[in-house]
Amino acid sequence: MPTEKAHRVRLILGDQLNALHPWFKDVDREVLFVMMEMRQETDHVAHHIQKVLCFFAAMRRFAKALEARGHRVLYLTLEDPRNTQELASNLEWIIVAHGAQHFAYQLPDAYRLDQQLKAIGKALRAEVTVSDSHHFLTTRKEVGELFRGKKQYLMERFYRHMRERTGILMKGDEPIGGKWNYDQENRQRPPKVHVPPAPLFFDHDLRDIHAMIREQGVRTIGTVDPQHVIWPLDRAESLALLDHFCEHLLPSFGRYQDAILPGQWAMYHARISFSLNAKMISPMEVCERAVAVWQADPKGISLAQIEGFVRQVIGWREYIRGLYWDRMPAMADMNFFGHEAELPAWYWTGETDMACLRDAVGGSLKHAYAHHIQRLMVTGNFALLAGAHPDAVDAWYLGIYIDAIEWVELPNTRGMSQFADGGIVGTKPYVSSGSYLNKMGHHCGSCRYDVKKRTGPDACPFNALYWHFFARNRERLESGDARPGTMQRIGMVYRTWEKMDGGTRHALLDQAERNLAKVDRL
């Protein structure tokens, strides 16, 4: 049977599931939409099995929804014999087979794919056009232009710029409540016995896709019950998850957003990052919905709670994306401290005696998710203290989390978490001893290590590693290559270090060296 011709081919990537995109407003049978499951993407790093499952399932739902609206869709599954598993060769045969004269794609969010599609466009014998994804509130260049010529990219300045531009939580030219930022009110430790409202889980049977992934030999990490997958797979479910957050979790979101509790992997976080990053919902509608709920119940939801949430969506998320595009590809090679170590083996098993890390890593392997403090101040903190190479840290974060796409993962990990950029993102290295972790949660009480001890076989490993990190990196931090102001932020650390007697300093460094020598067995 001859292939039905199509004048135009339009590519939809797996994280471009925006049902409201202008492409889909009108049905044109001369347009063929193309979607692909490819080993090129599954094998880029070892991804969590839930991440692969949910992206494929969401893509398939999106394709079926387009077809139900009358659009023509060519969907290549991973097992399709026509699938070359590579973007360029797939597009080449599709365009030739359908006699297409025009090829279009939306701006991709990964630098790697951006470069690949530019090369493909030059090689194709077809007219090529590029469309915006119609998702973000800023352009790729906006953050770079705002901070052009400056070494520091102050997120607070960008955040105020976004508040003023969008009008969110504004009264005229001033912020509602008179303050831009209520972060100081949002760092509370919950009571020891504290159970957040139950998260909203979906219940998807994805055994067919799971079997296909296994049969195709895709290497994955983590675990899943393929008969009961909990994540949203389309726009309607994503909006339901957002509504659940606004009703049940937003009232305490800011208050406990930095808290960590044993077994509480979601806490008060919205868990809409997968939906947002796959573009099933948009940042503006997320903020507008949350603000509307706050306005309807200002006594039940304080201004600090809604401001903390809005800051994450229109502030941090857009800021990180702009920073990514301004600093790539150089950002992917940054290694300010010259770290070279591998990640400890238990990052892939969760089998460590450190309770906070066992909980954070184990929860990540089980759920393909961890909230931002688990990522920054538990797993990221330890990786930085242990001197892990930023490449290894990047690969782990990009693989293990369902919401991880390079544009958001890399600047968060290599910048904020690992300070590999020398302070473009973070104002200081985000490391801590065990005292901070004990302050923000209750893992230490059930840990085999003693958070109050700095040396000895039962001492919390974070304690000695913290001082070892600052001692070994002092020259780099004082060199002037780090972000201006960094030494002022951490000066107290070195003043405290210098006040210690020589024996104490030696004991701490020796303890840290022993920990690093047996890091896989901690």
Side-chain angles (χ1 to χ4, degrees):
M1 183 176 178
T3 302
E4 185 180 356
K5 299 300 181 181
H7 182 67
R8 292 182 290 278
V9 165
R10 289 177 175 173
L11 174 67
I12 304 171
L13 297 174
D15 62 347
Q16 295 176 341
L17 310 183
N18 179 5
L20 304 182
H21 194 279
W23 270 3
F24 312 126
K25 183 178 180 180
D26 300 314
V27 174
D28 185 346
R29 298 299 295 179
E30 285 291 309
V31 174
L32 177 67
F33 292 104
V34 174
M35 302 180 70
M36 313 174 192
E37 301 168 359
M38 294 180 292
R39 293 299 292 266
Q40 168 187 307
E41 298 305 305
T42 62
D43 299 357
H44 178 55
V45 296
H47 295 283
H48 199 293
I49 180 59
Q50 292 183 44
K51 182 180 183 182
V52 181
L53 267 177
C54 289
F55 265 103
F56 283 3
M59 289 165 63
R60 293 182 183 195
R61 279 199 182 190
F62 191 79
K64 289 181 179 178
L66 288 181
E67 289 178 329
R69 291 165 59 180
H71 296 288
R72 291 176 59 193
V73 180
L74 171 61
Y75 190 99
L76 293 180
T77 64
L78 204 66
E79 61 189 345
D80 193 316
R82 300 170 298 173
N83 192 343
T84 69
Q85 308 299 336
E86 199 273 333
L87 183 59
S89 51
N90 272 340
L91 286 174
E92 183 178 4
W93 74 255
I94 289 170
I95 288 171
V96 170
H98 291 86
Q101 302 299 308
H102 186 273
F103 169 66
Y105 66 90
Q106 298 174 33
L107 284 171
D109 292 321
Y111 180 85
R112 169 180 57 88
L113 287 172
D114 188 66
Q115 296 301 298
Q116 186 180 18
L117 280 164
K118 285 178 179 177
I120 289 171
K122 292 178 180 179
L124 287 176
R125 295 182 179 179
E127 181 184 356
V128 179
T129 59
V130 183
S131 172
D132 192 271
S133 65
H134 291 270
H135 173 81
F136 294 99
L137 303 176
T138 53
T139 67
R140 286 179 173 180
K141 298 180 179 180
E142 197 160 332
V143 168
E145 290 171 348
L146 185 64
F147 296 108
R148 186 64 60 220
K150 300 183 182 299
K151 190 171 184 178
Q152 301 178 46
Y153 288 60
L154 297 176
M155 193 288 220
E156 188 66 23
R157 181 188 171 195
F158 172 77
Y159 171 53
R160 295 184 184 189
H161 163 75
M162 292 300 296
R163 289 272 295 276
E164 290 168 341
R165 205 178 89 177
T166 61
I168 293 176
L169 297 181
M170 296 291 290
K171 186 175 182 180
D173 296 332
E174 297 297 321
I176 291 176
K179 291 172 59 177
W180 294 98
N181 188 317
Y182 292 83
D183 199 34
Q184 291 299 322
E185 300 179 27
N186 290 338
R187 296 174 178 172
Q188 297 185 31
R189 185 191 199 213
K192 190 170 184 179
V193 179
H194 181 84
V195 181
L200 173 63
F201 292 156
F202 300 94
D203 192 17
H204 301 300
D205 187 343
L206 302 182
R207 283 177 290 179
D208 55 342
I209 303 178
H210 184 262
M212 184 268 292
I213 291 169
R214 290 288 178 251
E215 289 168 2
Q216 293 298 308
V218 176
R219 183 171 68 97
T220 61
I221 59 177
T223 61
V224 69
D225 177 354
Q227 194 172 352
H228 301 286
V229 179
I230 65 173
W231 295 98
L233 300 179
D234 58 28
R235 176 171 171 78
E237 290 179 352
S238 298
L239 290 172
L241 188 58
L242 172 62
D243 286 343
H244 180 272
F245 165 75
C246 291
E247 181 178 354
H248 299 285
L249 303 173
L250 181 57
S252 293
F253 166 77
R255 183 175 300 112
Y256 297 130
Q257 66 176 312
D258 285 1
I260 50 175
L261 285 177
Q264 298 294 340
W265 61 278
M267 288 296 291
Y268 289 87
H269 295 269
R271 296 188 302 110
I272 58 171
S273 48
F274 169 62
S275 296
L276 270 170
N277 294 351
K279 301 183 182 61
M280 292 185 281
I281 52 177
S282 73
M284 197 64 183
E285 70 182 326
V286 165
C287 288
E288 288 174 343
R289 173 59 177 153
V291 169
V293 172
W294 164 72
Q295 289 173 330
D297 186 19
K299 292 184 179 180
I301 304 172
S302 72
L303 180 56
Q305 311 309 304
I306 185 63
E307 186 278 317
F309 180 68
V310 165
R311 181 162 16 100
Q312 295 299 317
V313 180
I314 70 167
W316 187 255
R317 187 172 183 266
E318 298 280 332
Y319 165 80
I320 282 293
R321 186 230 181 193
L323 189 65
Y324 174 82
W325 283 108
D326 189 57
R327 290 290 177 144
M328 284 297 284
M331 179 177 279
D333 295 321
M334 291 178 176
N335 188 358
F336 177 76
F337 293 117
H339 284 165
E340 296 291 342
E342 294 294 326
L343 280 172
W346 39 261
Y347 270 72
W348 283 267
T349 66
E351 297 172 1
T352 171
D353 286 338
M354 292 176 282
C356 60
L357 278 158
R358 182 172 62 245
D359 198 43
V361 174
S364 300
L365 291 166
K366 183 177 180 181
H367 302 293
Y369 181 86
H371 63 74
H372 74 275
I373 289 299
Q374 288 179 306
R375 300 189 199 196
L376 176 64
M377 296 308 300
V378 183
T379 55
N381 183 5
F382 192 89
L384 182 52
L385 292 176
H389 196 296
D391 287 354
V393 184
D394 275 339
W396 188 80
Y397 278 97
L398 184 60
I400 200 167
Y401 293 122
I402 191 169
D403 54 17
I405 301 172
E406 190 183 74
W407 70 265
V408 67
E409 173 275 321
L410 191 144
N412 266 300
T413 299
R414 198 170 288 254
M416 186 70 172
S417 172
Q418 299 302 293
F419 205 78
D421 62 355
I424 297 172
V425 178
T427 57
K428 63 179 181 178
Y430 278 85
V431 291
S432 77
S433 63
S435 62
Y436 171 84
L437 299 171
N438 192 36
K439 177 183 177 182
M440 297 313 300
H442 300 282
H443 288 85
C444 297
S446 61
C447 187
R448 103 124 177 98
Y449 295 105
D450 189 338
V451 69
K452 296 180 180 179
K453 291 183 178 180
R454 298 191 295 182
T455 59
D458 296 327
C460 172
F462 279 94
N463 292 337
L465 288 174
Y466 174 80
W467 293 110
H468 186 274
F469 168 83
F470 280 110
R472 74 175 187 260
N473 288 307
R474 185 166 190 169
E475 184 177 344
R476 286 188 174 91
L477 289 167
E478 289 181 336
S479 68
D481 293 331
R483 175 180 182 154
T486 294
M487 282 305 296
Q488 287 90 327
R489 293 288 305 276
I490 61 177
M492 181 62 74
V493 175
Y494 287 110
R495 288 192 291 273
T496 302
W497 175 250
E498 288 162 358
K499 290 178 182 178
M500 295 180 190
D501 63 79
T504 300
R505 290 199 297 264
H506 178 78
L508 285 167
L509 297 179
D510 187 58
Q511 175 78 34
E513 290 290 346
R514 289 197 300 272
N515 286 339
L516 292 174
K518 61 174 184 178
V519 69
D520 287 339
R521 304 188 304 279
L522 287 177

